[in-house]
Amino acid sequence: MTVRLRPPRHRVDPRARRWWTAQALLTVSGPALLTAVALLVLALLFFAGALPWLAPLILGVLVLPAVGYLVAMPRLRHAVHAWELGDAAVYAASGWCWHRRRIAPLSRVQTVDTVRGPVQRRYGLATVTVTTASTAGDIRIAGLSEADAEELSRRIGHAAQAVPGDAA
Amino acid sequence: MSTRTARPVTTTGWRRLDRRTLLVHCGWLGAPLGSFALAALATGGRIGAAGWVTLGCLAVTFAAITAAGLARWARTDYRLTADSLDLRTGLLTRRLRTVPLHRVRTVDLTAPPLHRLLGVTVLRAGTAGSGDSGGELALEALSVRDAELLRSALLDRAAVPAPGTEPLLARIDWRWLRYAPLTFWVLGGVLAVAGGAYRALDGMGIEPWRLPFVQRAFTEFGASALWLTVPAALLGILALGSLGALGQYVEGWWNYRLEWADSRTLSVRRGLFTTRAVTIERDRLRGVVLREPLLLRAGGGGYAKAVAGGLGNREDNRRRSALMPPAPRATAVRVAAGALRSAFPEPESARHPRAALRRRRTRALLCVTLPGTLTFAVLGALLTPVLLHCAWVYALTSTPVALWLARDAYRSLGHGLYGRQLVVRSGTLSRDTVVLERAAVAAWTFSSSPFGRRAGLVTLTAAVAAGEDGYRIPDLSATTAPAFAAAAAPGIVDEFLERTP
């Protein structure tokens, strides 16, 4: 018989996939694709001779990774990201390539923050951050619906007060 | 050792910092003036326009800083009351900070050379949770007597000697000096000094490569028998580095003493030019790290560091957590045990799955062998066939080294539970044995990479509100990690575990 750490019960909001796609477009894929287009246009205008080797290079180095990231990252994240508030601890899973599961007992919780970024707000999402005295114990649950986030941060706050703690 | 009194020092009214603070403020002038003088010397007194501009800026800045320092000194005062230390600061916006005495965890007295010349010292009091939120309170210059009195008042506890333990844990033994050349400072020190000198010259508008004697030296070096002069130059650098390392060791650890000042506080004093005295409260001491960097380990040495809260930010923590200089391993283990007040547990090695070894081999080959070989091969294909030979020679020689490092890293891996303590060992370039109090674990993190998941490996991180915050147990078997986490610190992961037959 072995003991297994089961994944957290609750998935994040389905809208989070669209938010992650938007984020990918804004930070990684968008700039990479724009660079690729700019390079190709420049090559077409000024060094048409370089196209036979430049085009496959750009395709392999810029376009394919950018598109791959844009398609894969949100799906993988949505499959991994999850959270759960237990009787004595908060549990969250995150990541898409590297996975991370973190569990912090409520007795160690110091603060609970709810953050809504500009992009997140467009999709009606929020991030709940639970901090402990150790930076290696801080839990971030991203991609919750605003109602869920409010409810969760309220419940964590209540539970942390109910559990006798040693926050220091 | 200290002038510790049994009762708190009588409370004081509002007091200013020592007058000599103002002189200390002028200390920063030394470096720019010195480099200016050097520049004037090197150029034979011909100071260019840029030099004069620098000098002018210096004069203006000096006037401004002195004025600011004077104002700050006049508007800063502190007070010790029965239960708190109050600090009033601010020129226009007055700010009053009150630190309850029972929140003070560590006190650090540091006196850099200039402070020592003037007979003053800097007192920093770390409070609980002063990791990042700036909970630290610093008094920039107190006379040494005042600082000592204040420290004993801040940390005043019943001054009972620790029962059953020797209060003095270690003092400097100059035979340990032989370990100094086995530290990073041998090469790092030379590079740091060279970099610093270059920057200083560059700041004064001098390009060292243009100086005639530097150019002459380089042409002569290039024209000499390289097979003889290159090793000689390397030897010279090593010798210089060793000297530097010795100097650094002596400067850092002169008059070193580690002792339990009373049953609740551990105190470290050291330093030749800059003296430091760090006091760590026992309740904040969550464990120790025995560190054995590769070279030091080869020489049979190691050193111990404290894992304690309230030692300031990451860099402060690195400086203040040092419990001892590099010394024989047995001494390091004894010091660590003394700080823990229990036997130092050595973990069983290599209880980690074989996949961890394969992972280390791949990583070593990818990081050591591959980049060098590729560089040589590509350059060889482009430039000269000699480099192609270099490529295969490098591949052949570096592979065994990489594999040996991987094997060593695998054998270093180990973890276990011993009484109230959790022990973790890992690393080859620096083999670290971390002993943590199990009750101090504040959270668990399970992380895995794509390859690690396929191989059934997981890395467990214990979050602790002390030291480096997170301590990793790399590459555990994914099937045993949850049970280990549950056993090591009960009550955290338990409710999320699932038993499968």
Side-chain angles (χ1 to χ4, degrees), chain B residues 55 60 80 89 136 156 171-172 207 226 231 318 358 498:
Chain B
L55 199 63
V60 173
L80 186 67
T89 53
E136 190 172 274
D156 194 68
R171 65 197 319 169
I172 194 68
E207 291 172 36
L226 282 180
R318 198 162 34 234
R358 281 199 297 279
E498 199 171 61

Side-chain angles (χ1 to χ4, degrees), chain B residues 58-405:
Chain B
L58 215 59
V60 173
T61 326
F62 176 68
I65 287 192
T66 311
L70 191 64
R72 204 163 51 176
W73 173 76
R75 300 290 280 168
T76 299
D77 33 22
Y78 69 95
R79 174 175 73 170
L80 186 67
T81 66
D83 51 10
S84 69
L85 176 66
D86 303 341
L87 180 67
R88 274 198 311 212
T89 53
L91 190 59
L92 298 173
T93 316
R94 296 293 278 164
R95 187 171 168 204
L96 171 68
R97 280 182 71 187
T98 302
V99 179
L101 291 188
H102 67 92
R103 297 280 282 180
V104 174
R105 303 304 188 195
T106 58
V107 175
D108 176 354
L109 299 186
T110 304
L114 186 63
H115 284 72
R116 286 192 66 194
L117 267 178
L118 298 167
V120 291
T121 183
V122 184
L123 182 141
R124 290 194 186 86
T127 56
S130 64
D132 46 327
S133 51
E136 190 172 274
L137 193 144
L139 297 177
E140 267 178 56
L142 297 172
S143 73
V144 175
R145 216 185 81 84
D146 282 356
E148 299 251 337
L149 281 177
L150 198 53
R151 172 176 61 182
S152 50
L154 287 178
L155 287 174
D156 194 68
R157 316 276 181 229
V160 196
T165 48
E166 177 99 1
L168 180 69
L169 291 180
R171 65 197 319 169
I172 194 68
D173 177 345
W174 290 113
R175 280 173 300 177
W176 300 346
L177 206 55
R178 66 178 187 275
Y179 291 103
L182 297 178
T183 54
F184 155 82
W185 279 97
V186 172
L187 280 180
V190 171
L191 287 181
V193 167
Y198 182 84
R199 267 229 304 265
L201 287 175
D202 200 49
M204 296 311 299
I206 297 171
E207 291 172 36
W209 308 119
R210 294 268 177 86
L211 293 180
F213 71 92
V214 174
Q215 282 190 341
R216 215 166 35 242
F218 264 86
T219 22
E220 270 171 29
F221 189 82
S224 63
L226 282 180
W227 60 271
L228 206 72
T229 46
V230 169
L234 278 180
L235 266 181
I237 288 177
L238 273 186
L240 210 66
S242 301
L243 268 183
L246 287 178
Q248 219 261 342
Y249 194 104
V250 172
E251 202 285 316
W253 298 98
W254 188 263
N255 258 342
Y256 157 72
R257 272 176 86 85
L258 172 69
E259 61 195 333
W260 282 102
D262 57 51
S263 62
R264 302 272 305 267
T265 44
L266 186 65
S267 115
V268 188
R269 303 170 153 257
R270 63 200 184 88
L272 179 60
F273 298 121
T274 298
T275 55
R276 14 181 94 254
V278 180
T279 322
I280 302 172
E281 201 194 33
R282 187 184 181 189
D283 294 345
R284 306 297 290 174
L285 187 67
R286 305 299 203 179
V288 288
V289 180
L290 174 69
R291 191 160 278 181
E292 300 165 274
L294 192 60
L295 267 180
L296 204 55
R297 181 146 54 99
Y303 57 95
K305 290 175 88 80
V307 177
L311 290 186
N313 62 28
R314 201 152 275 246
E315 194 171 325
D316 289 338
N317 178 63
R318 198 162 34 234
R319 243 189 356 249
R320 292 179 192 162
S321 62
L323 288 182
M324 61 181 302
R329 189 177 193 278
T331 311
V333 167
R334 193 173 53 72
V335 167
L340 287 171
R341 289 197 175 156
S342 66
F344 186 83
E346 300 267 3
E348 295 166 39
S349 57
R351 283 200 331 195
H352 292 239
R354 296 286 288 181
L357 174 60
R358 281 199 297 279
R359 213 166 167 220
R360 274 161 183 68
R361 280 192 182 139
T362 323
R363 217 182 284 166
L365 289 176
L366 280 179
C367 293
V368 177
T369 309
L370 193 69
T373 313
L374 262 185
T375 316
F376 277 131
V378 169
L379 285 179
L382 292 176
L383 303 172
T384 152
V386 177
L387 287 176
L388 282 180
H389 291 294
C390 286
W392 68 259
V393 169
Y394 179 78
L396 273 189
T397 48
S398 66
T399 304
V401 174
L403 291 180
W404 182 85
L405 283 176

